[in-house]
């Protein structure tokens, strides 16, 4: 009996010591080491890849797409704020991203309008997808055609009318950025050459020279556009 109690006590003691050691190592030392290394070697990425404007104010993350819409009008029968049924209209003074709604808005917590990440998984012959793409293409053509620059449906790149797999892609192609140049220049009272230079300066090449495609981060581009417009 005494041997059994002593053996049990030893096992409990060993378990508690292992729990204490593993808690210190895995719960304290390891997180501190990883955090320290990340802050020392990858400070920008460890802090969320923040983008700052010329004044140093954080305006978002380079990893998450943002929308640039006009403020919604208050509902006619309510003074509580935006009408949730009102469709958002793009603010055409800014470069527009690709459709980035993901799976739609959060219907569980209606107080927090969270965009859910994900794709629709619609087939290419899905009638709703075809209608969506056709309407989106017509909207892009109408929004970006100016008195001196006419956009045709053939000019519209695929990502201008389709969302990414996550629905939150922060990038567009240089072709879609260039398609928007004339409209952005006109809306902001800038020369087309100035805006073209802005797009060129914010075009990133393929990663490591061979992975992916050239791309433009819309938030970085619009942040630079705002700084240029304020000069």
């Amino acid at each position: 009996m005494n041997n059994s109690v002593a053996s049990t006590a030893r096992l409990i003691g060993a378990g508690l010591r292992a729990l204490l050691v593993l808690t210190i190592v895995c719960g304290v030392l390891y997180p501190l080491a990883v955090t320290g290394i990340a802050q020392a070697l990858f400070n920008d990425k460890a802090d969320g890849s923040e983008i700052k404007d010329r004044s140093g104010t954080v305006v978002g993350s380079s990893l998450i797409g943002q929308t640039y819409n006009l403020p919604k009008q208050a509902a006619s029968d309510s003074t509580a704020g935006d009408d949730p049924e009102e469709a958002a209209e793009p603010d055409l003074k800014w470069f527009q991203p690709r459709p980035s709604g993901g799976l739609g808005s959060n219907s569980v917590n209606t107080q927090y309008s969270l965009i859910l990440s994900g794709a629709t998984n619609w087939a290419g012959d899905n009638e709703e997808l075809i209608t969506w793409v056709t309407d989106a293409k017509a909207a892009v053509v109408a929004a970006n055609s100016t008195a001196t620059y006419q956009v045709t449906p053939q000019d519209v790149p695929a990502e201008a009318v389709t969302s990414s797999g996550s629905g939150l892609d922060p990038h567009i192609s240089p072709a879609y950025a260039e398609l928007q140049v004339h409209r952005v220049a006109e809306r902001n009272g800038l020369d087309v050459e100035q805006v073209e230079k802005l797009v060129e300066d914010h075009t990133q090449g393929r990663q490591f020279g061979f992975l992916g495609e050239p791309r433009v981060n819309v938030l970085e581009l619009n942040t630079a556009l705002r700084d240029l417009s304020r000069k």
Side-chain angles (χ1 to χ4, degrees), residues 87-122:
E89 294 291 334
D91 188 345
L92 298 179
K93 69 180 292 187
W94 305 108
F95 284 93
Q96 293 297 311
R98 65 188 302 174
S100 54
L103 294 176
S105 59
N106 179 8
S107 60
V108 178
N109 180 3
T110 57
Q111 299 301 314
Y112 182 50
S113 184
L114 174 69
I115 297 299
L116 304 180
S117 176
T120 61
N121 288 327
W122 284 335

Coordinates of all heavy atoms in Angstrom, one line a residue, residues 87-122:
A87 N -27.3 49.8 -52.1 CA -26.0 49.3 -52.7 C -24.9 50.4 -52.6 O -25.2 51.6 -52.8 CB -26.3 49.0 -54.2
A88 N -23.7 50.0 -52.3 CA -22.6 50.9 -52.3 C -22.2 51.4 -53.6 O -22.1 50.6 -54.6 CB -21.4 50.2 -51.6
E89 N -21.9 52.6 -53.8 CA -21.5 53.2 -55.1 C -20.0 53.5 -55.0 O -19.5 54.1 -54.0 CB -22.3 54.5 -55.4 CG -23.7 54.2 -55.7 CD -23.9 53.5 -57.0 OE1 -23.1 53.6 -57.9 OE2 -25.0 52.8 -57.1
P90 N -19.2 53.1 -55.9 CA -17.7 53.4 -55.9 C -17.4 54.9 -56.0 O -18.1 55.6 -56.7 CB -17.2 52.7 -57.1 CG -18.3 52.5 -58.0 CD -19.5 52.4 -57.2
D91 N -16.5 55.3 -55.2 CA -16.0 56.7 -55.3 C -15.0 56.8 -56.4 O -13.8 56.3 -56.2 CB -15.4 57.1 -53.9 CG -15.0 58.6 -53.9 OD1 -15.0 59.2 -55.0 OD2 -14.8 59.1 -52.8
L92 N -15.3 57.3 -57.5 CA -14.5 57.3 -58.7 C -13.3 58.2 -58.7 O -12.6 58.2 -59.7 CB -15.4 57.5 -60.0 CG -16.5 56.5 -60.2 CD1 -17.4 56.9 -61.4 CD2 -16.0 55.1 -60.3
K93 N -13.0 58.9 -57.7 CA -11.8 59.7 -57.6 C -10.6 58.8 -57.3 O -9.5 59.2 -57.4 CB -11.9 60.8 -56.6 CG -12.0 60.4 -55.2 CD -12.2 61.6 -54.3 CE -10.9 62.4 -54.2 NZ -10.9 63.5 -53.2
W94 N -10.9 57.5 -56.8 CA -9.9 56.6 -56.4 C -9.8 55.4 -57.4 O -10.7 55.1 -58.1 CB -10.2 56.0 -55.0 CG -10.4 57.1 -53.9 CD1 -11.5 57.4 -53.3 CD2 -9.4 57.9 -53.4 NE1 -11.3 58.4 -52.4 CE2 -10.0 58.7 -52.4 CE3 -8.0 58.0 -53.5 CZ2 -9.3 59.7 -51.7 CZ3 -7.3 59.0 -52.8 CH2 -8.0 59.8 -51.9
F95 N -8.6 54.8 -57.4 CA -8.4 53.6 -58.1 C -9.3 52.5 -57.4 O -9.3 52.4 -56.2 CB -7.0 53.1 -58.1 CG -6.1 53.9 -59.1 CD1 -5.4 55.0 -58.7 CD2 -6.0 53.5 -60.4 CE1 -4.6 55.7 -59.5 CE2 -5.2 54.2 -61.3 CZ -4.5 55.3 -60.9
Q96 N -10.0 51.8 -58.2 CA -10.9 50.8 -57.6 C -10.2 49.4 -57.6 O -9.5 49.0 -58.6 CB -12.2 50.7 -58.4 CG -13.1 52.0 -58.3 CD -13.5 52.2 -56.9 OE1 -14.0 51.3 -56.2 NE2 -13.4 53.4 -56.4
P97 N -10.4 48.6 -56.5 CA -9.9 47.3 -56.5 C -10.7 46.3 -57.3 O -11.8 46.7 -57.8 CB -9.9 46.9 -55.0 CG -11.2 47.7 -54.5 CD -11.2 48.9 -55.3
R98 N -10.4 45.0 -57.3 CA -11.2 44.0 -57.9 C -12.4 43.8 -56.9 O -12.3 44.1 -55.7 CB -10.4 42.7 -58.1 CG -9.9 42.0 -56.9 CD -9.0 40.9 -57.3 NE -9.7 39.9 -58.1 CZ -9.1 38.8 -58.7 NH1 -7.8 38.7 -58.5 NH2 -9.7 38.0 -59.4
P99 N -13.5 43.2 -57.4 CA -14.6 42.9 -56.5 C -14.1 42.1 -55.3 O -13.4 41.1 -55.5 CB -15.5 42.0 -57.3 CG -15.3 42.5 -58.7 CD -13.8 42.8 -58.8
S100 N -14.3 42.6 -54.1 CA -13.7 42.0 -52.9 C -14.7 41.7 -51.8 O -14.4 41.9 -50.6 CB -12.6 42.9 -52.4 OG -13.1 44.2 -52.2
G101 N -15.9 41.3 -52.2 CA -16.9 41.0 -51.2 C -16.8 39.6 -50.5 O -17.5 39.4 -49.6
G102 N -15.9 38.8 -51.0 CA -15.8 37.4 -50.4 C -17.2 36.7 -50.5 O -17.9 36.7 -51.5
L103 N -17.6 36.2 -49.4 CA -18.9 35.5 -49.3 C -20.0 36.4 -48.9 O -21.1 36.0 -48.7 CB -18.8 34.3 -48.4 CG -17.9 33.2 -48.8 CD1 -17.8 32.1 -47.8 CD2 -18.4 32.6 -50.1
G104 N -19.7 37.7 -48.8 CA -20.8 38.6 -48.4 C -20.6 39.2 -47.0 O -19.5 39.0 -46.4
S105 N -21.6 39.8 -46.5 CA -21.5 40.4 -45.1 C -21.8 39.5 -44.0 O -22.5 38.4 -44.3 CB -22.3 41.7 -45.1 OG -23.7 41.3 -45.3
N106 N -21.4 39.8 -42.8 CA -21.7 38.9 -41.7 C -23.1 39.1 -41.3 O -23.6 40.2 -40.9 CB -20.7 39.3 -40.6 CG -20.9 38.5 -39.3 OD1 -21.7 37.6 -39.3 ND2 -20.3 38.9 -38.2
S107 N -23.9 38.0 -41.3 CA -25.3 38.1 -40.9 C -25.6 37.7 -39.5 O -26.7 37.7 -39.0 CB -26.2 37.2 -41.8 OG -25.7 35.8 -41.7
V108 N -24.5 37.3 -38.8 CA -24.6 36.8 -37.4 C -24.6 38.0 -36.5 O -25.5 38.3 -35.7 CB -23.5 35.8 -37.0 CG1 -23.6 35.4 -35.6 CG2 -23.6 34.6 -37.9
N109 N -23.5 38.8 -36.6 CA -23.4 40.0 -35.8 C -23.6 41.2 -36.7 O -22.7 41.7 -37.3 CB -22.0 40.1 -35.1 CG -21.8 41.3 -34.2 OD1 -22.7 42.1 -34.1 ND2 -20.6 41.4 -33.6
T110 N -24.8 41.7 -36.7 CA -25.1 42.8 -37.7 C -24.5 44.1 -37.2 O -24.6 45.1 -38.0 CB -26.6 42.9 -37.8 OG1 -27.2 43.1 -36.5 CG2 -27.2 41.7 -38.5
Q111 N -24.0 44.2 -36.0 CA -23.4 45.4 -35.5 C -22.0 45.6 -36.0 O -21.4 46.7 -35.9 CB -23.4 45.5 -34.0 CG -24.8 45.4 -33.3 CD -25.7 46.5 -33.8 OE1 -25.2 47.7 -33.8 NE2 -26.9 46.2 -34.1
Y112 N -21.4 44.5 -36.6 CA -20.1 44.6 -37.1 C -20.1 44.1 -38.5 O -20.3 42.9 -38.8 CB -19.2 43.7 -36.3 CG -17.7 43.7 -36.7 CD1 -17.0 44.9 -36.9 CD2 -17.0 42.5 -36.9 CE1 -15.7 44.9 -37.3 CE2 -15.7 42.5 -37.3 CZ -15.0 43.8 -37.5 OH -13.7 43.8 -37.8
S113 N -20.0 45.0 -39.5 CA -20.1 44.7 -40.9 C -18.8 44.0 -41.4 O -18.0 44.6 -42.1 CB -20.4 45.9 -41.7 OG -20.6 45.6 -43.0
L114 N -18.6 42.8 -41.0 CA -17.4 42.1 -41.4 C -17.5 41.4 -42.8 O -18.6 40.8 -43.1 CB -17.1 41.0 -40.3 CG -16.0 40.0 -40.6 CD1 -14.7 40.8 -40.5 CD2 -16.0 38.9 -39.7
I115 N -16.5 41.6 -43.6 CA -16.5 40.9 -44.9 C -15.9 39.5 -44.7 O -14.8 39.4 -44.1 CB -15.7 41.7 -45.9 CG1 -16.3 43.0 -46.2 CG2 -15.5 40.9 -47.2 CD1 -17.7 42.9 -46.8
L116 N -16.6 38.5 -45.1 CA -16.2 37.1 -44.9 C -15.3 36.7 -46.1 O -15.7 36.9 -47.2 CB -17.4 36.2 -44.7 CG -18.4 36.5 -43.6 CD1 -19.5 35.5 -43.6 CD2 -17.7 36.6 -42.3
S117 N -14.2 36.0 -45.7 CA -13.3 35.6 -46.8 C -13.7 34.3 -47.4 O -14.2 33.4 -46.7 CB -11.9 35.4 -46.2 OG -11.0 34.9 -47.1
G118 N -13.6 34.2 -48.7 CA -14.0 32.9 -49.4 C -14.5 33.2 -50.8 O -14.7 34.3 -51.2
A119 N -14.7 32.1 -51.5 CA -15.1 32.2 -52.9 C -16.5 31.7 -53.1 O -17.0 30.9 -52.3 CB -14.1 31.5 -53.8
T120 N -17.1 32.0 -54.2 CA -18.5 31.6 -54.5 C -18.5 30.1 -55.0 O -19.5 29.4 -54.8 CB -19.2 32.4 -55.5 OG1 -18.4 32.4 -56.7 CG2 -19.2 33.9 -55.1
N121 N -17.4 29.7 -55.6 CA -17.3 28.4 -56.2 C -18.3 28.2 -57.3 O -18.7 27.0 -57.6 CB -17.4 27.3 -55.2 CG -16.1 27.2 -54.3 OD1 -15.0 27.4 -54.8 ND2 -16.3 26.8 -53.1
W122 N -18.8 29.2 -57.9 CA -19.7 29.1 -59.1 C -19.0 28.5 -60.3 O -17.9 28.8 -60.5 CB -20.3 30.4 -59.4 CG -21.4 30.9 -58.5 CD1 -22.2 30.2 -57.7 CD2 -21.8 32.3 -58.2 NE1 -23.0 31.0 -56.9 CE2 -22.8 32.3 -57.3 CE3 -21.3 33.5 -58.8 CZ2 -23.4 33.4 -56.8 CZ3 -21.9 34.6 -58.3 CH2 -23.0 34.6 -57.3

